[in-house]
C-alpha cells in the first residue's frame, strides 16, 4: 500500500454501553495509578474497560520491550470485542512498532485509537489505512480531572458518535478565511520525522494541525523550512497552530507563533493560532483524518467536524 493511494475514510463505530475499551502503553512508562483511576472513570460511562498486560510495565524508559508493546496493541486491534484503544501516555517509542502494526488488517475491524504526543505516530499509521483516530487527552488527564472536565466529556461524546464543533477565541496572528479538507497532523517533531516514509501525513489540500513541547524556536523553524522547501506548506488547505509549550523564545525575542506566522505569510489559506491542542490542561479532542471545516473570522475561529457549517 502506497501513501498516495486514496482510500475511503472509515469512521469507527460509535461506542455503546458495555463495549470493550483497552488501555495500552505503546511508548513510555506510565504511573499505574493514573491508568487505574482513568479506567475506573471510564467504566462509570458504561464501558467495559481493561488494562493491557504490559501497559503498566517498565523496560528502560518504555512500558515494555517492542515485542511486548506490539503484542498489547496487536491483541487489542484484532479483538473483535474491543471498540476503542486509549493510550496511557506518550513519551517515545511508538515508532518502534509501526512497521509491524502496518501489516495488520486494520480496516477489517476498525476501532478508535486515542492519544496525543508520541501517539501522533499511531495517528499517522491509522491515516495511512484510512481510519479516523482521536488526538485527545490520555490517562493522566482523565484521572486528574475525574472525567468531569470539558475535554474528557467531549472525548466520550466523540467516541459515542457525536463529532465535535468548536467555537474558539481569535488570535492577533490569525489569517482569516474558510477551508474544508481532511484533518492531518499532531506533534510536529513526531510527524516531521515520518516525512518520506509510508506514514507521511502531509498531503495537498489537507488542514494541518501542529503542536509541540520543549522544542526551541529554531528547531521548529528548521522543520518549517523543511516543509516550506519541500512544497508541503504551500499545498495546505489550512493551518491550525496548537500550543507550543515549555520553550524559550529566540534570541531576538520572537515567539513560536510569530515565527510560524512569518513562515506562512506568503500563502493565502486560513491560519488559526493559539488553538487549545497539545501539552496543556485544556486539550480539545480532534478526530484525525476526518473531514473538517476551518473558519477563521475577525472575532473567532470555528473548527467543525459535525457538518453544521
Amino acid at each position: 500500500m502506497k501513501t498516495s493511494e486514496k482510500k475511503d475514510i472509515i469512521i469507527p463505530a460509535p461506542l455503546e454501553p458495555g463495549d470493550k475499551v483497552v488501555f495500552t502503553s505503546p511508548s513510555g512508562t506510565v504511573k499505574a495509578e493514573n491508568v487505574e483511576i482513568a479506567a475506573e472513570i471510564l467504566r462509570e460511562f458504561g464501558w467495559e474497560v481493561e488494562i493491557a498486560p504490559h501497559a503498566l510495565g517498565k523496560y528502560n524508559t518504555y512500558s515494555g520491550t517492542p515485542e511486548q508493546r506490539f503484542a498489547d496493541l496487536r491483541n487489542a486491534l484484532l479483538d473483535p470485542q474491543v471498540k476503542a484503544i486509549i493510550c496511557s501516555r506518550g513519551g517515545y517509542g511508538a515508532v518502534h512498532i509501526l512497521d509491524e502494526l502496518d501489516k495488520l488488517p486494520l480496516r477489517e475491524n476498525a476501532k478508535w485509537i486515542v492519544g496525543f504526543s508520541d501517539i501522533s505516530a499511531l495517528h499517522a499509521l491509522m491515516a495511512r489505512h484510512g481510519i479516523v483516530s482521536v488526538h485527545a487527552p490520555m490517562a493522566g488527564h482523565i484521572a486528574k480531572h475525574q472525567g468531569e472536565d470539558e475535554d474528557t466529556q467531549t472525548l466520550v461524546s466523540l467516541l459515542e458518535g457525536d463529532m465535535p464543533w468548536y467555537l474558539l477565541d481569535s488570535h492577533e496572528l490569525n489569517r482569516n478565511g474558510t477551508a474544508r479538507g481532511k484533518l492531518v497532523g499532531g506533534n510536529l517533531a513526531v510527524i516531521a520525522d515520518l516525512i518520506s516514509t509510508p506514514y507521511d501525513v502531509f498531503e495537498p489540500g489537507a488542514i494541518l494541525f501542529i503542536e509541540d513541547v520543549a522544542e526551541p524556536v529554531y528547531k521548529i523553524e528548521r522543520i518549517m523550512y523543511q516543509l516550506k522547501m519541500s512544497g508541503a506548506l504551500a499545498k495546505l488547505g489550512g493551518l491550525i497552530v496548537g500550543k507550543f509549550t515549555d520553550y524559550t523564545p529566540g534570541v531576538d525575542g520572537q515567539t513560536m507563533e510569530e515565527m510560524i506566522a512569518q513562515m506562512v505569510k506568503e500563502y493565502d489559506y486560513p491560519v488559526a493560532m493559539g488553538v487549545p491542542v497539545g501539552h496543556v490542561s485544556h486539550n480539545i479532542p480532534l478526530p484525525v483524518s476526518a473531514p473538517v471545516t476551518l473558519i477563521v473570522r475577525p472575532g473567532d475561529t470555528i473548527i467543525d467536524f459535525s457538518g453544521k457549517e
Side-chain angles (χ1 to χ4, degrees):
M1 176 170 43
K2 296 180 180 179
T3 310
S4 59
E5 289 180 354
K6 296 295 183 181
K7 289 187 170 293
D8 292 336
I9 297 298
I10 295 175
I11 299 177
L15 268 67
E16 299 179 355
D19 277 346
K20 190 174 177 180
V21 176
V22 176
F23 273 95
T24 67
S25 299
S27 304
T29 56
V30 64
K31 290 177 62 175
E33 181 182 16
N34 284 342
V35 181
E36 290 162 353
I37 292 174
E40 188 56 40
I41 289 168
L42 294 187
R43 290 185 186 108
E44 294 174 2
F45 287 101
W47 303 330
E48 178 188 339
V49 183
E50 296 183 359
I51 299 172
H54 304 100
L56 307 183
K58 178 175 174 56
Y59 175 77
N60 295 328
T61 61
Y62 312 111
S63 68
T65 65
E67 294 76 15
Q68 290 171 334
R69 288 178 279 137
F70 169 69
D72 280 357
L73 268 175
R74 177 197 61 208
N75 293 340
L77 286 164
L78 297 183
D79 184 344
Q81 300 304 313
V82 173
K83 304 302 181 183
I85 298 168
I86 300 182
C87 300
S88 66
R89 61 156 295 191
Y92 172 70
V95 70
H96 298 158
I97 56 177
L98 278 190
D99 282 344
E100 291 303 312
L101 292 170
D102 187 49
K103 299 173 185 176
L104 300 178
L106 300 176
R107 290 175 63 88
E108 292 183 8
N109 185 16
K111 54 202 65 184
W112 297 104
I113 287 186
V114 178
F116 77 105
S117 191
D118 192 57
I119 308 307
S120 295
L122 297 186
H123 295 314
L125 168 74
M126 301 305 280
R128 168 168 158 78
H129 288 262
I131 302 169
V132 174
S133 55
V134 189
H135 184 280
M138 298 179 282
H141 177 106
I142 296 170
K144 178 180 179 180
H145 297 281
Q146 295 293 304
E148 299 176 353
D149 64 292
E150 179 182 357
D151 296 327
T152 302
Q153 296 287 330
T154 299
L155 172 60
V156 170
S157 294
L158 196 164
L159 295 177
E160 291 178 339
D162 186 12
M163 284 292 184
W165 182 94
Y166 298 111
L167 179 64
L168 306 170
D169 292 337
S170 186
H171 190 284
E172 60 182 5
L173 294 176
N174 279 359
R175 183 162 61 222
N176 296 338
T178 298
R180 294 175 177 84
K182 182 171 77 172
L183 185 74
V184 302
N187 180 270
L188 186 55
V190 173
I191 61 175
D193 285 343
L194 296 175
I195 291 173
S196 296
T197 74
Y199 316 102
D200 190 334
V201 304
F202 296 93
E203 60 180 78
I207 311 296
L208 173 69
F209 76 99
I210 55 176
E211 63 83 25
D212 220 317
V213 60
E215 296 285 0
V217 172
Y218 81 89
K219 285 192 176 182
I220 299 300
E221 184 182 56
R222 180 184 292 158
I223 294 173
M224 296 297 290
Y225 266 107
Q226 178 189 23
L227 298 176
K228 189 183 191 75
M229 292 186 290
S230 71
L233 281 186
K235 296 175 183 177
L236 294 178
L239 178 63
I240 296 171
V241 181
K243 299 294 186 177
F244 285 77
T245 52
D246 297 341
Y247 76 93
T248 302
V251 293
D252 56 357
Q254 187 179 48
T255 67
M256 198 74 77
E257 290 79 10
E258 290 170 341
M259 180 274 291
I260 294 172
Q262 180 71 19
M263 292 295 302
V264 299
K265 68 177 184 179
E266 65 190 82
Y267 313 121
D268 61 2
Y269 47 73
V271 178
M273 294 276 187
V275 174
V277 173
H279 294 73
V280 284
S281 58
H282 181 28
N283 180 18
I284 62 174
L286 296 176
V288 185
S289 298
V292 62
T293 298
L294 172 64
I295 303 174
V296 184
R297 306 184 293 200
D300 54 35
T301 293
I302 293 172
I303 301 176
D304 177 30
F305 298 92
S306 70
K308 292 179 183 178
E309 296 299 328

